[in-house]
Amino acid sequence: MDDHLLGWLRNLDEDRLGRILENRPDAIAPPWPRRLDTLAQRLGNGFAVMEALRGLPLPCLELAQACLVVREATPERLAEFLGVPVEELAPWLDRLYDHALAWPDAAGSIHLAEAVSRWWAAPLGLGEPLEHYLNSWTISTDALRSLARNLGLPPHGNKRRTIVRVSEVLSERERLDALLSHAPEGTQPLLEGFAWDGPVRDVDGGRFVMPGSPEKWAADHGLLYRPSWHVAEMPREVALGLRGPGYHPPFTSEAPEVATLPVDPEEVDHLMTLAAPHVVERCAALLDNTAKTPLPLLKTGGVGVREVRRVAKETGCDEDETRLLLEICAVARLLAWDEKSGGMVPTDRFDRWRLDEGAARLRVLLAGWWRMERSSLRKVDGKYGTVLGDDQTGAAVARVRRAVLAVLAHLPAGTAYADRASLVRNVHWHAPLLDQALLTECASAVLDEARLLGLLANDALTDLGRALAGLTAHPGDESDDTVPLVEHDPVLVEASTRALASVRRSALFGPDLTAVVTGPPSAELAALLDRVAERESRGAASVWRFTTESVRGALDYGYDADELLEELSGVGTVPQPLEYLVRDVARRHGEVTVTTVGCVVQASDPALLAEIAAHRRLSRLGLRLLAPTVLVSSASADKTLAGLREHGYSPVPVADTGEISIKRTRIEEPQNGKLILLPGGQVAELGDFEAPPHVFADPAPDPHEHARRLITAGRTVAEQNGRTWAIIGRMATRLPTAQQSLLGFVVDRGVRAGITLTGGLTATISHGELRAGALDAWCEEAGDYLEFPLAEIVEVRGAY
């Protein structure tokens, strides 16, 4: 914990502390802190600091780098270094303060969070301070004195004084210029390369021991240092001196403008109402297809191009849609690997998903896309990646997706981006920690995916896209089973309901054996018509045509004529020609029958086979005589063999070649359960696949209200220090000494422990405080702070 940060927090007013808690939700996540020292620990956590940095725009990061370079940075020194007025820095410094990433001390000097300092090994392309090199164990006292003599300084004096003198000479531009005037030819270009393109560069180590070479002269005068034979570094002060007094690092206080053009909001809205139902409908068709034909995986992981094209052709999707929906369905746990089927098949969650209303189904898909850590339509070297294959970029792709939509959401309604390059530049300004090459590579894919999902239309964000971009709930990551806070966001619920409000649940049947849906069909209507007819067109109006083959396919699916006509009449008026077609096809359906035979039983004695066929206890095998010496069984060969042997007969298996085939059997473990696909084509067993219920955690406290509590608690915490063990020793008399000590750590250090009370009640607690003979601690089972009487605690154990 940073003591400077804790001291600053103790002096903050309620408004500033409330803004910090509002901007850093990680700081008041359960169990929310009740003391300022606990809050300081959370705010200084390295992972939390980096997550906060990712949400800040470019000027904040440029200021942070400048703070790392300027000694004892103050707003005035930073303004002078950056070459801008102090007033221009003020709002960005406040933003750093409001995220507890930087804070001023009593003297006005700015301190940065330790994790921010660790992020930049070479801020502004500058190396370590001179002091770092001169204080290094690799610099002996004799070497330091030799350096002082080379710089024209007296070599006597203590080491600290010599370091200060050397630093003064190499930090001042005038002295550095005077020194360089006596340098060998070629020294200036060498040093300029380190100053502007350093601070660390590969070098030829041999030239650093060659008399008269620029490299040796620079090393002898403290301008370059070598941590290894072929690597050299330039100190920060030397590089700044070489850059000159006119050097000012970039400070981009204004975001690059996005080129825009006006669009018709009504047309954007109309295109959204066409695309959103189409996504739900095509997703249902794709999953139905995989239910009939499991989707195999490549040996290297992922789904092959041939399978993607097959599914696209059979479902009427294009390849881009198929790639995207397969990825989304896997992340949403609607599609998973099944060992028995040998491929990807719909999960039990799909059965529940298809029974939900259309808007809920759409939100499940959007939530899956929002946290998906792969980009389905991203091209690398002109080629798509493998569907559901490995993607080394991982979570960075999801961050690019959210950053792009966030920028689009800031454009005024009725405005579309006109230039993709200007959009990417603006996204980089708002999210500078994103890899710029990855951002440029993924931006086009993100926009194409958003267009297919109804989030983008005519290059403008739709209401559905704005709702998704404006989510405040944590989006989760790809490994999460569900993200109910996203799926049930009120704004997204309203937008998704409106996006599907125009779906059609009825069709117009014509005497020419066609069905027309004048608008986006519901998933149920499209599924019914796809089973019975062949789709001829899609768009603002979709057309299906009934043929002999399509009706026969529906009958093969399990319908009879009356059921089929009843379902069709439920979505429209069935004309007489269509009824005649259905009944005519049904009349001829079943003229030829096909029976499944598990195995064939043969014997030379007809009486023996007749006896076996009439055996009552063998009736479960479904035995039937085809000929006096040929018997067929509906059970498999293994089950038939076992049944016959169980009842006293002596059958032997026969191979396809006609030879008797008796092999020693191998006992195999049952392969039950389902597997889900993980990045890289790996799978993980889920057992019985059950979706967890939508359990919503208690909301975190209001930031400003909690700030008031923290400030109040900060005034009383000093009174309680030092009393922990005395109180526990006096009140928790049922506990042995070792367990009393562990309970003390729960109070003083916030450690996690399990406790048992006199009535047998158990709880897992942490972050405790002592209150009048009771332990007020966070209870994980209750999800809140509860009071536990010390006298009733009978056991304390470590919880890991």
Side-chain angles (χ1 to χ4, degrees), residues 311-449:
V311 173
K313 182 178 179 181
E314 293 179 3
T315 58
C317 295
D318 61 33
E319 286 188 36
D320 286 353
E321 280 182 315
T322 304
R323 298 177 64 86
L324 177 60
L325 292 178
L326 283 174
E327 299 264 16
I328 291 175
C329 288
V331 174
R333 303 297 190 266
L334 300 176
L335 193 65
W337 172 261
D338 181 64
E339 186 69 31
K340 183 178 179 181
S341 302
M344 300 285 287
V345 298
T347 64
D348 294 340
R349 184 173 295 175
F350 168 61
D351 297 329
R352 293 187 290 271
W353 176 83
R354 73 189 312 168
L355 295 176
D356 276 340
E357 59 172 344
R361 281 180 275 174
L362 177 62
R363 292 194 298 274
V364 170
L365 300 178
L366 294 180
W369 181 72
W370 199 233
R371 68 184 193 271
M372 191 169 76
E373 296 177 0
R374 290 181 298 276
S375 179
S376 307
L377 305 184
R378 171 187 170 207
K379 287 187 176 181
V380 179
D381 297 330
K383 295 181 179 179
Y384 286 131
T386 304
V387 175
L388 297 174
D390 194 12
D391 192 334
Q392 300 297 327
T393 51
V397 173
R399 287 194 286 269
V400 168
R401 181 181 300 119
R402 295 165 199 155
V404 170
L405 258 68
V407 167
L408 289 172
H410 283 94
L411 297 180
T415 302
Y417 73 89
D419 176 47
R420 196 167 289 184
S422 67
L423 174 65
V424 169
R425 287 194 294 271
N426 190 279
V427 172
H428 177 65
W429 187 89
H430 282 93
L433 288 185
L434 288 174
D435 182 81
Q436 196 160 6
L438 179 66
L439 171 61
T440 304
E441 194 176 76
C442 287
S444 297
V446 169
L447 296 171
D448 292 340
E449 292 170 11

Side-chain angles (χ1 to χ4, degrees), residues 24-211:
R24 294 286 299 274
D26 55 284
I28 51 173
W32 41 86
R34 297 185 296 179
R35 298 197 308 243
L36 287 174
D37 56 346
T38 309
L39 175 64
Q41 286 180 338
R42 287 206 182 182
L43 291 173
N45 177 272
F47 293 107
V49 166
M50 289 315 305
E51 197 62 33
L53 268 180
R54 288 193 179 98
L56 293 181
L58 185 59
C60 291
L61 271 64
E62 291 173 335
L63 262 180
Q65 289 192 76
C67 287
L68 291 172
V69 172
V70 177
R71 280 183 178 274
E72 297 182 357
T74 63
E76 293 74 18
R77 289 173 183 164
L78 287 173
E80 181 183 357
F81 181 57
L82 295 170
V84 297
V86 176
E87 297 76 18
E88 193 172 335
L89 299 184
W92 305 109
L93 275 174
D94 278 341
R95 198 154 179 181
L96 286 172
Y97 297 163
D98 286 347
H99 285 78
L101 301 176
W103 54 89
D105 61 15
S109 297
I110 299 170
H111 297 265
L112 289 178
E114 185 180 349
V116 177
S117 305
R118 289 198 304 266
W119 177 259
W120 284 286
L124 302 177
L126 298 169
E128 298 283 353
L130 260 169
E131 196 173 322
H132 169 81
Y133 299 99
L134 297 177
N135 275 318
S136 171
W137 63 271
T138 58
I139 304 294
S140 64
T141 303
D142 291 340
L144 189 59
R145 289 174 178 170
S146 175
L147 173 60
R149 280 193 295 269
N150 291 337
L151 294 175
L153 298 172
H156 54 273
N158 61 44
K159 183 177 181 180
R160 182 63 191 163
R161 182 59 184 162
T162 304
I163 289 175
V164 171
R165 289 172 179 168
V166 170
S167 298
E168 288 175 353
V169 170
L170 297 180
S171 299
E172 294 182 14
R173 177 67 187 186
E174 294 77 11
R175 292 191 181 186
L176 192 59
D177 286 341
L179 181 65
L180 290 173
S181 64
H182 303 290
E185 186 179 353
T187 303
Q188 189 75 27
L190 170 70
L191 297 179
E192 290 287 341
F194 276 91
W196 293 100
D197 301 320
V200 180
R201 304 188 76 183
D202 294 333
V203 294
D204 180 359
R207 293 186 60 81
F208 279 78
V209 295
M210 183 185 298

Side-chain angles (χ1 to χ4, degrees), residues 19 31 36 44 50 65 212 324-325 466 477 501 510 537 542 586 597 669 694 791:
R19 291 204 303 272
L36 287 174
M50 289 315 305
Q65 289 192 76
L324 177 60
L325 292 178
R466 289 183 184 279
D477 55 42
S537 66
S542 301
V597 175
E669 295 295 328
H694 292 303

Side-chain angles (χ1 to χ4, degrees), residues 370-555:
W370 199 233
R371 68 184 193 271
M372 191 169 76
E373 296 177 0
R374 290 181 298 276
S375 179
S376 307
L377 305 184
R378 171 187 170 207
K379 287 187 176 181
V380 179
D381 297 330
K383 295 181 179 179
Y384 286 131
T386 304
V387 175
L388 297 174
D390 194 12
D391 192 334
Q392 300 297 327
T393 51
V397 173
R399 287 194 286 269
V400 168
R401 181 181 300 119
R402 295 165 199 155
V404 170
L405 258 68
V407 167
L408 289 172
H410 283 94
L411 297 180
T415 302
Y417 73 89
D419 176 47
R420 196 167 289 184
S422 67
L423 174 65
V424 169
R425 287 194 294 271
N426 190 279
V427 172
H428 177 65
W429 187 89
H430 282 93
L433 288 185
L434 288 174
D435 182 81
Q436 196 160 6
L438 179 66
L439 171 61
T440 304
E441 194 176 76
C442 287
S444 297
V446 169
L447 296 171
D448 292 340
E449 292 170 11
R451 194 172 290 108
L452 289 173
L453 294 172
L455 307 173
L456 194 70
N458 285 348
D459 293 334
L461 213 58
T462 65
D463 289 346
L464 195 61
R466 289 183 184 279
L468 192 63
L471 288 173
T472 56
H474 187 268
D477 55 42
E478 201 172 82
S479 62
D480 294 336
D481 279 344
T482 58
V483 278
L485 294 179
V486 172
E487 295 168 9
H488 296 269
D489 179 84
V491 179
L492 187 60
V493 168
E494 181 183 352
S496 60
T497 301
R498 202 165 67 78
L500 294 178
S502 63
V503 295
R504 299 290 186 265
R505 292 177 171 80
S506 62
L508 300 174
F509 295 106
D512 58 345
L513 300 179
T514 60
V516 180
V517 180
T518 57
S522 68
E524 294 80 9
L525 176 60
L528 171 62
L529 295 177
D530 281 341
R531 283 196 295 268
V532 188
E534 296 175 356
R535 191 184 298 228
E536 290 188 338
S537 66
R538 65 177 74 242
S542 301
V543 179
W544 281 262
R545 181 170 298 278
F546 296 90
T547 65
T548 301
E549 291 76 14
S550 66
V551 173
R552 186 173 63 235
L555 298 175

